[in-house]
Amino acid sequence: MTYKEWTDQDHLELVKNWKLHGLTNVEIAQRIGIAEKTLYVWLKKSPKLKKAIRGGKNIARARAENALYELALNGDRQALFFWLKNNYRERYSDKPLSPAEADLMSQNARLGQITG
């Protein structure tokens, strides 16, 4: 079996959906019938395969973020605290920011004002 067999549209969609549904790279390699190391070699050789895995992962992340946001908006206090701590760390973190982190946050805020 070669990576080229897995770069047609049907196989790329299958791999993307596996990642979308939470499979790890180890599990994807097992489903393909290859070793995990082989999968990483294939990903270096095939931008299409790498894009399919990354695409599935990005969609899954976006769905999870949206679900968390909806929970936070609908009154789930734990979800709200989690969302605030992760999106407004400088205001809602349990730990103080390091000087480097505070400087980075300040720079990002200035950039937002300039480009916003």
Side-chain angles (χ1 to χ4, degrees), residues 13-33:
E13 194 65 30
L14 182 61
V15 169
K16 180 179 177 179
N17 282 317
W18 285 340
K19 198 64 175 182
L20 172 64
H21 288 93
L23 269 67
T24 65
N25 287 353
V26 172
E27 293 168 325
I28 290 172
Q30 289 172 344
R31 289 207 178 178
I32 293 173

Side-chain angles (χ1 to χ4, degrees), residues 35-100:
E36 179 185 11
K37 287 182 181 181
T38 303
L39 178 61
Y40 290 113
V41 170
W42 286 14
L43 292 175
K44 287 181 182 178
K45 290 181 178 181
S46 174
K48 287 182 181 180
L49 190 56
K50 188 175 185 175
K51 183 179 178 183
I53 285 182
R54 186 175 292 143
K57 186 176 185 176
N58 288 342
I59 292 169
R61 282 181 174 173
R63 286 182 176 174
E65 288 174 358
N66 288 336
L68 175 64
Y69 183 71
E70 287 299 319
L71 285 171
L73 289 179
N74 291 315
D76 183 318
R77 290 180 62 194
Q78 190 172 9
L80 179 59
F81 291 146
F82 184 81
W83 192 86
L84 287 170
K85 284 181 180 184
N86 284 284
N87 287 281
Y88 294 98
R89 187 166 172 227
E90 69 282 1
R91 285 206 224 139
Y92 296 101
S93 178
D94 293 332
K95 300 184 281 185
L97 297 176
S98 72

